[in-house]
Amino acid sequence: MAATEFSAETHFPYMYQLLALVCLAAVVYKLIAVVQRRRHFIKHVRQFPAPPTHWLFGHIRELYKDGNELFTFLRWQEQYTDAIPVWVGPNNCFVNLHHPDYVRTLLASVEPKDNIVYPFFEPWIGEGLLLASGQKWFRHRRLLTRGFHYDVLKPYVKLMSDSAKTMLDNWESYAHSGEPFELFEHVSLMALDSILKCAFSYNSNCQAESGSNAYVKAVFDLSELINKRFMFFPYYSDLIFHLSPHGFQFRKSCRIAHNHTAEVIQARKEVLKREEEMDRVQTKRYQDFLDILLLAKDEDQMGLTEEEIRAEVDTFMFEGHDTTASGISFILYSLACNPEHQKLCREEVMQALDGKASFEVEDLGKIPYTTMCIKESLRLYPPVPGVSRVLTKPMTFVDGRSLPAGFRVGVAIFGLHRNPSVWENPSVYDPLRFLPENVSKRSPHAFVPFAAGPRNCIGQNFAMNELKVTIAETLRRYELMEVPNFKPRIVPRLVLRSLNGVYIKIKPLNAK
């Protein structure tokens, strides 16, 4: 017995030494991989001039030191044209494109989303259209396209108008006090209310119960938690985020959102089961997005699975309210800052309505000047300031420069929309840029708030309808006014946000 104990004690130090050697070898192997990956990136991005970079931090300190990263990138654009490699850490490099000729090459492809930030969404929204790739993406895109047909979108306009009017009712106190107020939270609740009504026939009453509705709170929390993860680089590690309090809250909110989605889907399935004939769905007040998801069949008569339906519902919930809220907030801010354009829009809206109580889908084509103002705001404040892809095969650009498979390439939409080689006086708000004769002179890839090509935003017509309805309903009721000395400090998050909010003042149109 004593000999056995002595032998174990003798071997313990060697076991620790062996373990230490294994750990050291793993660290060395990882460092070698990092160095090789960095050399690979450096070799291929030498052809693209870029600002000086720190070997460890990359460009992080320049971009994120003061919340002015978008305008730092604009300054870089003046010196480094067409495409700029941006380093995040020692071995993550994104080549950001900001010229239409380069953008066209990337957006004409069906390359998948990048594999760094986009996976943060997957525990919540699954492999819906935003994250899917390959044949799965092709199949889902084909099945879901019908959900955004004109006839499906047509009855949504009335529901959008109702949601906008609820928000405007809640603004009465600001209209009479004349006090500035922050737009984004109000508009975000309105957009969520609208998408729940339109796409899922679900009346959440969230504009009145924003703090008490568990599902609404979960959706807001998930968006904010992904924002936090995006901005805090240690959270890029799944393990660190999982063990953190934010990771715990994220999983809790995911469960709430998924349980709610499952309940809505199951309730609709029961309704459809009770239909004597499938075409009786068409006799409802309108056929919504959820109906189309549940009834969709491919050429082999195969529908979407339960998990796939839930993923598409959760994806549409995220993409359909946060981006729209950003767009509407900055459009209202732009009109408040440009009263001469606001006045013309209001006159056009009043003429289009001609005394009617609410907008109808046919009226949306009668407000071309308002549409130009909306587009000009989307140019200056694109709700999605950038998109990125990972190359699955080499890509050659218009001037012959190319990148190999494995590179992450992005469209810097904010930079593209303010590129002085494309837009004259790019920081000036000028809706006349979108007169047909002016549009015809530009590349179609100079203005891409909804991306472009085969992976463009499938819901862009839904979004544009909501922007038009909300802006029109607001202008017929209130005069929008700029807050003196206020400028939003815009930053790229999941959507374009402002660090200091988006503030305006309003007054009733009938005020003396």
Side-chain angles (χ1 to χ4, degrees):
M1 184 72 177
T4 303
E5 291 174 356
F6 176 80
S7 175
E9 290 173 359
T10 303
H11 283 80
F12 275 153
Y14 296 105
M15 293 172 62
Y16 286 131
Q17 290 173 12
L18 179 61
L19 181 61
L21 285 172
V22 170
C23 292
L24 179 61
V27 170
V28 170
Y29 175 80
K30 183 68 174 176
L31 285 174
I32 291 173
V34 168
V35 170
Q36 289 180 334
R37 180 179 173 85
R38 179 174 175 82
R39 284 178 176 172
H40 171 72
F41 281 139
I42 290 173
K43 174 185 174 182
H44 290 284
V45 300
R46 282 197 184 112
Q47 59 191 314
F48 297 96
T53 178
H54 188 277
W55 70 271
L56 178 61
F57 299 109
H59 293 109
I60 291 173
R61 294 185 300 180
E62 289 81 2
L63 287 175
Y64 298 109
K65 64 182 179 182
D66 55 7
N68 287 318
E69 53 262 48
L70 289 170
F71 294 96
T72 298
F73 191 83
L74 290 184
R75 289 196 298 273
W76 288 352
Q77 278 186 195
E78 295 176 6
Q79 185 175 356
Y80 309 101
T81 57
D82 301 334
I84 302 176
V86 174
W87 290 82
V88 181
N91 68 335
N92 285 316
C93 181
F94 292 79
V95 177
N96 285 276
L97 315 177
H98 52 89
H99 190 279
D101 293 341
Y102 271 73
V103 168
R104 179 177 64 246
T105 303
L106 182 65
L107 295 186
S109 73
V110 292
E111 297 290 34
K113 301 297 176 68
D114 82 61
N115 52 6
I116 291 184
V117 175
Y118 284 100
F120 296 169
F121 296 89
E122 191 166 352
W124 174 20
I125 66 176
E127 273 197 282
L129 272 182
L130 180 66
L131 302 183
S133 59
Q135 287 303 312
K136 182 172 185 177
W137 175 82
F138 276 108
R139 178 174 181 263
H140 283 219
R141 178 83 180 201
R142 189 168 63 250
L143 291 176
L144 269 60
T145 296
R146 181 173 163 239
F148 299 93
H149 187 274
Y150 175 85
D151 290 336
V152 175
L153 297 180
K154 183 176 180 178
Y156 292 173
V157 170
K158 172 65 166 59
L159 300 174
M160 293 171 176
S161 180
D162 290 344
S163 294
K165 288 175 180 177
T166 299
M167 178 184 73
L168 298 174
D169 288 342
N170 294 336
W171 289 2
E172 283 286 349
S173 60
Y174 303 117
H176 293 291
S177 70
E179 291 296 315
F181 68 102
E182 205 282 318
L183 285 170
F184 197 91
E185 184 177 350
H186 292 273
V187 176
S188 188
L189 280 172
M190 183 277 298
L192 186 58
D193 182 33
S194 182
I195 200 167
L196 286 168
K197 287 177 182 174
C198 294
F200 310 112
S201 302
Y202 179 75
N203 290 308
S204 68
N205 202 27
C206 65
Q207 295 196 72
E209 302 174 356
S210 58
S212 59
N213 186 301
Y215 175 67
V216 171
K217 186 176 186 305
V219 169
F220 275 103
D221 287 347
L222 287 166
S223 294
E224 287 302 313
L225 288 164
I226 294 175
N227 258 326
K228 283 185 169 66
R229 188 174 185 185
F230 175 63
M231 294 306 300
F232 187 56
F233 292 105
Y235 279 178
Y236 281 43
S237 163
D238 289 338
L239 179 62
I240 293 175
F241 183 69
H242 184 85
L243 295 175
S244 71
H246 289 137
F248 174 81
Q249 182 60 46
F250 182 80
R251 294 190 297 277
K252 179 181 176 182
S253 296
C254 273
R255 287 194 297 272
I256 294 171
H258 291 165
N259 288 340
H260 177 271
T261 301
E263 289 173 7
V264 171
I265 292 171
Q266 188 56 40
R268 184 63 59 83
K269 280 186 171 182
E270 293 299 323
V271 170
L272 293 178
K273 281 180 183 177
R274 292 195 295 268
E275 299 288 350
E276 294 178 6
E277 299 174 346
M278 201 63 77
D279 63 0
R280 281 190 58 190
V281 177
Q282 304 289 346
T283 67
K284 295 194 318 179
R285 184 164 57 86
Y286 65 91
Q287 185 180 26
D288 65 21
F289 181 68
L290 184 53
D291 287 327
I292 289 165
L293 283 177
L294 291 167
L295 298 173
K297 303 285 185 186
D298 61 19
E299 57 272 15
D300 298 321
Q301 295 304 301
M302 296 293 293
L304 298 170
T305 67
E306 188 98 14
E307 182 180 353
E308 289 171 336
I309 292 170
R310 195 205 76 193
E312 297 301 353
V313 169
D314 288 333
T315 296
F316 195 41
M317 283 302 308
F318 161 67
E319 287 202 282
H321 97 271
D322 224 16
T323 53
T324 308
S326 176
I328 292 171
S329 297
F330 284 109
I331 293 165
L332 294 174
Y333 169 76
S334 297
L335 291 173
C337 296
N338 294 275
E340 68 281 13
H341 296 298
Q342 180 188 157
K343 181 176 181 291
L344 293 173
C345 290
R346 181 176 293 107
E347 291 171 354
E348 181 182 66
V349 165
M350 295 300 194
Q351 184 175 356
L353 278 172
D354 194 23
K356 289 191 295 187
S358 294
F359 260 81
E360 297 174 7
V361 70
E362 294 82 5
D363 300 319
L364 300 182
K366 301 175 184 177
I367 50 172
Y369 194 84
T370 305
T371 302
M372 290 194 296
C373 288
I374 288 171
K375 288 182 177 180
E376 177 65 349
S377 181
L378 294 178
R379 182 187 70 82
L380 287 169
Y381 305 102
V384 179
V387 296
S388 59
R389 308 277 192 263
V390 58
L391 302 185
T392 60
K393 54 185 178 294
M395 178 171 287
T396 301
F397 297 101
V398 64
D399 58 2
R401 290 186 288 184
S402 63
L403 292 170
F407 254 81
R408 300 182 183 94
V409 184
V411 178
I413 297 177
F414 186 87
L416 172 70
H417 286 184
R418 296 185 182 225
N419 189 332
S421 70
V422 180
W423 307 91
E424 186 178 353
N425 298 321
S427 61
V428 174
Y429 183 86
D430 180 10
L432 298 184
R433 301 179 198 273
F434 291 95
L435 284 170
E437 57 268 31
N438 291 332
V439 171
S440 66
K441 299 173 186 175
R442 288 192 301 268
S443 164
H445 291 85
F447 177 67
V448 290
F450 301 103
R455 289 199 73 129
N456 69 345
C457 175
I458 194 173
Q460 61 182 289
N461 289 332
F462 178 98
M464 278 300 293
N465 286 355
E466 185 167 8
L467 299 183
K468 291 178 184 180
V469 169
T470 305
I471 300 309
E473 291 291 357
T474 303
L475 292 181
R476 70 192 296 212
R477 185 159 173 181
Y478 296 123
E479 181 181 344
L480 315 178
M481 297 174 291
E482 185 177 10
V483 176
N485 302 318
F486 170 79
K487 295 293 180 186
R489 293 181 59 200
I490 52 176
V491 289
R493 297 295 183 258
L494 297 180
V495 298
L496 194 73
R497 300 292 294 263
S498 169
L499 291 176
N500 57 339
V502 183
Y503 284 85
I504 64 169
K505 297 195 295 182
I506 60 174
K507 68 178 180 181
L509 282 182
N510 59 358
K512 297 292 184 183

